């Protein structure tokens, strides 16, 4: 896509940014008395990559032959959309601060999907590759809202395909989030790539990234450690997250929809216990983490796997016209944790608590 077409897309999205700000204005006006924490964009990085690079999520645009996606240009649209999401967020944030904050109180945040990237080996090459993965997945949108500019690694690699903030835009985007929100489920190992990973020879986000990422999203028994602020995310991300309050909007354990397995979901308890423990460790080491939300309260339709897998603390019988809900073992554990009564350490404690739960429910 040539520069005139890039400019046209930027102009089109700028009008949509104004529409988005007008929509937010209505929300602030009508609901600001009740809502004190606002999220402008949810999973901004993953929405952009999935919708405009890979084409596997709405609106399903990409430029890869053979994929079931609409026409698009993965080489440029990914970065143009991401750029305009940041400008739209900054516009809404500015509106809120100028028109509503003093009257209503409250604050505005920005949500990113956060992988916990780790080097696949102890080699220097894989450590550098891990930093690069953080630059592209997190720094891409985190650095602008903290510092007002894109990571140097992205500017060097993407070049003219990466839009440039004007001086005024940079000042507007910088500091536009009162807090950072993260959706976090899994770890991923990173390896340096010697070859361009794009087999189709189309330059896109993945080929620009230039590393191999191996994650086991559907792995049973996997424990994901929340490490923001105490060691895994290197350099700028560690510092940036300490500068801003952090809210973990989603975290949970995926399991197959098996009714008997679901009721005794000890792997989910082990996962949540380990993760929440890691959050506590992060806080003790300086992370300004202020909120944590388990995904999800009950089983529901998941975007990527439908009803095949679930995260819920309560199971839902989708064959029952009444959609009967039943508490899982994890529901007891989390309820006890919230009440400060949970001391489930190890399978024996978990099973004893399950026995008490069964008799009382």
């Amino acid at each position: 896509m040539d520069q005139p077409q890039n400019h046209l897309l930027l102009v089109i999205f700028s009008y949509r940014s104004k529409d988005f700000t007008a929509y937010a204005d209505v929300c602030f006006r009508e609901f600001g008395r009740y809502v004190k924490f606002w999220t402008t964009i949810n999973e901004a990085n993953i929405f952009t990559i999935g919708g405009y690079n890979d084409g596997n999520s709405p609106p399903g645009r990409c430029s890869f032959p053979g994929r079931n996606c609409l026409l698009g240009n993965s080489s440029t649209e990914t970065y143009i959309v991401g750029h305009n999401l940041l400008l739209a967020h900054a516009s809404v944030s500015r509106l809120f601060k100028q028109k509503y904050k003093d009257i209503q109180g409250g604050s505005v945040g920005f949500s990113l999907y956060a992988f916990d990237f780790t080097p696949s080996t102890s080699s220097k090459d894989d450590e550098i590759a891990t930093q690069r993965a953080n630059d592209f997945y997190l720094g891409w949108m985190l650095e602008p809202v903290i510092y007002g500019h894109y990571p140097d690694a992205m500017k060097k690699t993407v070049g003219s395909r990466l839009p440039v903030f004007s001086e005024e835009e940079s000042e507007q985007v910088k500091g536009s989030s009162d807090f950072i929100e993260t959706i976090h489920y899994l770890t991923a190992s990173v390896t340096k790539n010697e070859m361009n990973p794009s087999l189709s020879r189309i330059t896109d986000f993945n080929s620009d990234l230039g590393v191999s990422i191996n994650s086991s999203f559907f792995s049973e028994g996997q424990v994901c450690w929340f490490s923001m602020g105490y060691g895994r995310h290197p350099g700028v991300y560690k510092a940036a997250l300490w500068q801003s309050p952090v809210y973990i909007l989603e975290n949970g354990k995926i399991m197959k929809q098996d009714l008997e397995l679901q009721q005794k979901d000890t792997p989910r308890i082990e996962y949540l216990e380990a993760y929440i423990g890691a959050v506590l460790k992060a806080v003790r080491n300086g992370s300004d983490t202020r909120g944590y939300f388990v995904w999800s309260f009950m089983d529901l339709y998941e975007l990527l796997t439908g009803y095949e897998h679930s995260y819920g603390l309560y199971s839902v019988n989708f064959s029952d016209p009444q959609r009967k809900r039943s508490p899982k073992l994890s529901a007891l554990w989390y309820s006890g944790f919230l009440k400060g009564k949970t001391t489930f350490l190890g399978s024996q404690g978990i099973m004893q608590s399950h026995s008490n739960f069964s008799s009382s429910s």
Side-chain angles (χ1 to χ4, degrees), residues 178-195:
D178 298 317
F179 52 91
I180 300 297
E181 301 158 298
T182 178
I183 285 91
H184 185 244
Y185 291 94
L186 66 151
T187 59
S189 62
V190 182
T191 306
K192 178 186 177 182
N193 246 341
E194 297 293 343
M195 301 296 291

Side-chain angles (χ1 to χ4, degrees), residues 130-151:
T130 301
Q131 175 64 60
R132 185 175 178 84
N134 277 308
D135 283 337
F136 270 75
Y137 273 94
L138 286 176
W140 175 22
M141 296 185 179
L142 186 58
E143 284 203 26
V145 300
I146 300 293
Y147 303 114
H149 58 72
Y150 289 117

Side-chain angles (χ1 to χ4, degrees), residues 149-317:
H149 58 72
Y150 289 117
D152 289 338
M154 291 193 74
K155 290 189 283 189
K156 180 180 179 181
T157 301
V158 183
S160 62
R161 290 180 290 117
L162 185 66
V164 177
F165 293 112
S166 68
E167 185 174 340
E168 180 183 4
E169 289 171 341
S170 178
E171 287 301 313
Q172 291 173 356
V173 173
K174 181 180 179 180
S176 57
S177 283
D178 298 317
F179 52 91
I180 300 297
E181 301 158 298
T182 178
I183 285 91
H184 185 244
Y185 291 94
L186 66 151
T187 59
S189 62
V190 182
T191 306
K192 178 186 177 182
N193 246 341
E194 297 293 343
M195 301 296 291
N196 186 323
S198 178
L199 299 178
S200 64
R201 300 185 182 277
I202 295 175
T203 302
D204 72 328
F205 180 88
N206 296 314
S207 63
D208 291 334
L209 175 61
V211 303
S212 294
I213 296 174
N214 181 34
S215 63
S216 50
F217 188 83
F218 301 110
S219 172
E220 300 296 341
Q222 179 189 22
V223 173
C224 302
W225 296 94
F226 179 77
S227 56
M228 293 182 177
Y230 77 98
R232 286 279 185 87
H233 291 304
V236 64
Y237 308 104
K238 179 177 174 182
L241 286 167
W242 281 2
Q243 290 177 17
S244 297
V246 177
Y247 290 86
I248 307 167
L249 293 189
E250 292 181 27
N251 173 252
K253 171 67 179 173
I254 193 169
M255 296 180 70
K256 293 180 179 178
Q257 277 284 30
D258 182 299
L259 191 59
E260 182 178 355
L261 176 65
Q262 290 280 3
Q263 300 308 310
K264 301 178 181 179
D265 57 345
T266 54
R268 181 171 285 117
I269 295 174
E270 293 166 353
Y271 175 102
L272 294 174
E273 184 179 65
Y275 194 94
I276 294 171
V279 173
L280 175 60
K281 184 176 179 181
V283 171
R284 287 174 172 170
N285 282 273
S287 175
D288 189 8
T289 303
R290 300 189 183 184
Y292 171 85
F293 300 88
V294 171
W295 186 268
S296 56
F297 175 70
M298 62 183 176
D299 293 344
L300 44 78
Y301 182 87
E302 293 291 341
L303 178 63
L304 297 180
T305 63
Y307 296 113
E308 185 179 352
H309 296 82
S310 69
Y311 292 86
L313 302 181
Y314 281 73
S315 62
V316 178
N317 185 348

Side-chain angles (χ1 to χ4, degrees), residues 3 6 12 20 31 45 62 75 78 96 119 127 180 189 205 208 231 259 262 266 288 314 327:
Q3 292 304 309
N6 283 355
I12 291 172
F20 181 64
F31 305 111
N45 50 350
C62 77
S75 181
T78 310
F96 182 78
E127 289 182 9
I180 300 297
S189 62
F205 180 88
D208 291 334
L259 191 59
Q262 290 280 3
T266 54
D288 189 8
Y314 281 73

Side-chain angles (χ1 to χ4, degrees), residues 333-353:
W333 182 89
Y334 196 58
S335 176
F337 166 75
L338 294 176
K339 296 173 183 177
K341 299 179 181 179
T342 296
T343 57
F344 306 169
L345 299 174
S347 59
Q348 184 175 358
I350 291 173
M351 295 312 294
Q352 178 62 44
S353 298

